Amino acid sequence: MTNRILTTILFITFSILAYAQGTYIQGRVLHQDEPLAKANVVELDANHRIINQTQTDDAGFFTLNVSGGKTSIRVTYHGMKKFTKKIGTQT
């Protein structure tokens, strides 16, 4: 069970919101239709360095302030393989 690939058991809905102070990504992380509380959500630069990070709440929701440019979002949860999605300059 610990070898499951996160992409097969993970549901993430991203919505990108632009505010005066920056850009935010909001989403929800689920495992078999149940929320994953305290999953790590990070923004990575092109060299895979962490730029920003947050965790999901008890209902699996998160909001992450992103810097923009060509970056990726990585979701990790203990015992599961990581899930990475390029967000680049999508609007």
Side-chain angles (χ1 to χ4, degrees):
M1 191 162 188
T2 60
N3 291 328
R4 287 189 174 178
I5 298 174
L6 194 56
T7 57
T8 62
I9 55 176
L10 178 69
F11 174 73
I12 298 178
T13 303
F14 288 121
S15 60
I16 300 176
L17 305 170
Y19 292 104
Q21 301 263 330
T23 302
Y24 295 84
I25 291 180
Q26 294 179 326
R28 188 174 193 198
V29 180
L30 300 173
H31 173 289
Q32 297 176 346
D33 295 326
E34 294 295 322
L36 277 180
K38 307 302 180 203
N40 294 308
V41 182
V42 298
E43 178 189 16
L44 304 170
D45 68 10
N47 295 316
H48 304 286
R49 294 178 297 211
I50 296 173
I51 301 170
N52 294 305
Q53 61 187 358
T54 191
Q55 284 189 329
T56 59
D57 63 14
D58 290 339
F61 289 102
F62 69 90
T63 300
L64 181 67
N65 182 6
V66 294
S67 63
K70 294 184 178 185
T71 60
S72 299
I73 297 297
R74 181 175 65 199
V75 179
T76 56
Y77 191 79
H78 183 71
M80 296 182 188
K81 292 188 178 184
K82 63 185 174 187
F83 171 84
T84 304
K85 170 107 175 131
K86 289 184 180 181
I87 58 169
T89 56
Q90 297 176 2
T91 57

